[in-house]
Amino acid sequence: MKFSSAQADVYVPDGAAPAAALARVTHLCVAAHQDDIEIMAYAGICDALAEAGGGFGGVVVTSGAGSPRSGPYAAFTDEQMQAARREEQREAARLGRYAIQIQLAHPSATVRRPGDRGVASDLAAIFSGCAPEAVYLHNPMDRHGTHVAVFCRCLEALRSLPPGRRPARILGCEVWRDLDWALDEDKVALDAGRRPELAGPIVAVFASQIAGGKRYDLAALGRRAAHATFHASHATDRLDGITWALDLRPLLEPGAPSVEAFVEERLARFRADILARLRAHA
Ligand SMILES: [Zn+2]
């Protein structure tokens, strides 16, 4: 399995051949940075572990070169930082018993630009090399530009697949900016409250990101717990943790709206919902 960047890394925790490992992926997450997968698609990691024949595939598109560094990492060069982050991502794949972990190692600037051939061919090879039942992507309303760019590159790659090869379930997950505000009809609750023995450690392996005092491990778990508590669901089917996601499948149907129209529609429903409640009680 060969990808366009010389720094690309393909890791198969159980030592199987990479193409076979990719082919058995049932839950696939394509994210921008090391640690995004474990924050946004933890429910998919758990689903793959729970299903007979399940296999989780993780893809990190960027190299992680530009990340902030502090504490023991303060003097790291870009190369050292990339190596540290690559190894942290491999450790997460071991902990979560992924079928495969691919790190494409593209510079953020390359991914942010539409039309890069290397990024397009890498993503096309990944999406056509497996037939996952669920795909986890960033969502188009994320606050991080690189996340939005990776989402756009993934959508382009998925739209270029023949209609019969497009995954049935495509979810746009929250990382930077929560999705709890979206109306229930527009969002999906992913069960991220399982396996507490794994939930913290699989985010805490990204020590280089946490070293500066940003406790992503605590924050990710706290957000899941808060969403579960503040979501008005029936007590009987309450989850211990929720990651919110947008159902992105409409973007792959025949006659799909543009991403902008898709977003506008959801924003309009959010706005109308707030104003209707206010008008009813003011
Ligand atoms: Zn990220």
Side-chain angles (χ1 to χ4, degrees):
M1 193 169 291
K2 190 91 183 84
F3 293 107
S4 62
S5 163
Q7 278 76 46
D9 183 65
V10 177
Y11 176 59
V12 179
D14 71 5
L22 179 60
R24 77 174 186 88
V25 166
T26 52
H27 298 76
L28 175 72
C29 177
V30 185
H33 308 104
Q34 289 89 354
D35 85 1
D36 284 334
I37 292 171
E38 291 68 25
I39 291 171
M40 66 196 252
Y42 182 65
I45 295 168
C46 291
D47 283 346
L49 288 171
E51 269 178 36
F56 185 82
V59 179
V60 175
V61 177
T62 70
S63 62
S67 89
R69 54 208 71 177
S70 54
Y73 304 90
F76 272 35
T77 63
D78 263 3
E79 288 67 32
Q80 288 172 313
M81 200 63 188
Q82 286 176 61
R85 298 190 73 182
R86 186 184 309 127
E87 191 43 51
E88 289 168 353
Q89 188 61 60
R90 283 173 161 235
E91 178 60 16
R94 282 190 286 272
L95 282 181
R97 286 180 278 145
Y98 300 177
I100 190 167
Q101 173 65 58
I102 298 168
Q103 302 190 63
L104 296 174
H106 290 291
S108 291
T110 304
V111 179
R112 281 171 173 249
R113 228 182 15 241
D116 182 82
R117 283 197 180 177
V119 173
S121 70
D122 288 352
L123 291 174
I126 291 164
F127 286 124
S128 52
C130 56
E133 60 189 68
V135 173
Y136 304 82
L137 304 178
H138 289 293
N139 82 80
M141 292 187 256
D142 197 283
R143 196 156 55 80
H144 195 308
T146 309
H147 290 187
V148 174
V150 167
F151 157 78
C152 291
R153 302 295 85 80
C154 287
L155 185 66
E156 290 155 11
L158 287 165
R159 280 178 164 170
S160 68
L161 289 173
R165 292 289 323 245
R166 297 175 190 175
R169 202 158 185 253
I170 303 177
L171 300 156
C173 309
E174 59 189 359
V175 181
W176 287 99
R177 181 180 288 131
D178 297 7
L179 285 171
D180 60 322
W181 59 268
L183 299 201
D184 283 350
E185 67 204 81
D186 291 327
K187 68 183 189 289
V188 181
L190 304 179
D191 180 1
R194 289 169 285 171
R195 298 181 186 262
E197 75 289 353
L198 178 62
I202 205 167
V203 183
V205 294
F206 297 93
S208 68
Q209 303 307 295
I210 291 172
K214 287 183 81 72
R215 293 298 305 270
Y216 291 107
D217 52 340
L218 301 181
L221 269 61
R223 169 161 64 186
R224 290 170 197 165
H227 284 344
T229 298
F230 289 107
H231 175 51
S233 73
H234 299 293
T236 47
D237 61 7
R238 248 205 62 210
L239 304 173
D240 290 329
I242 288 177
T243 297
W244 289 119
L246 299 178
D247 175 8
L248 301 179
R249 196 63 180 68
L251 290 169
L252 289 179
E253 304 292 356
S258 67
V259 177
E260 203 173 314
F262 175 89
V263 166
E264 290 265 24
E265 241 176 69
R266 277 135 193 88
L267 292 177
R269 280 200 280 269
F270 173 56
R271 182 178 188 277
D273 179 73
I274 291 177
L275 292 177
R277 195 168 295 104
L278 180 60
R279 284 170 190 146
H281 301 287

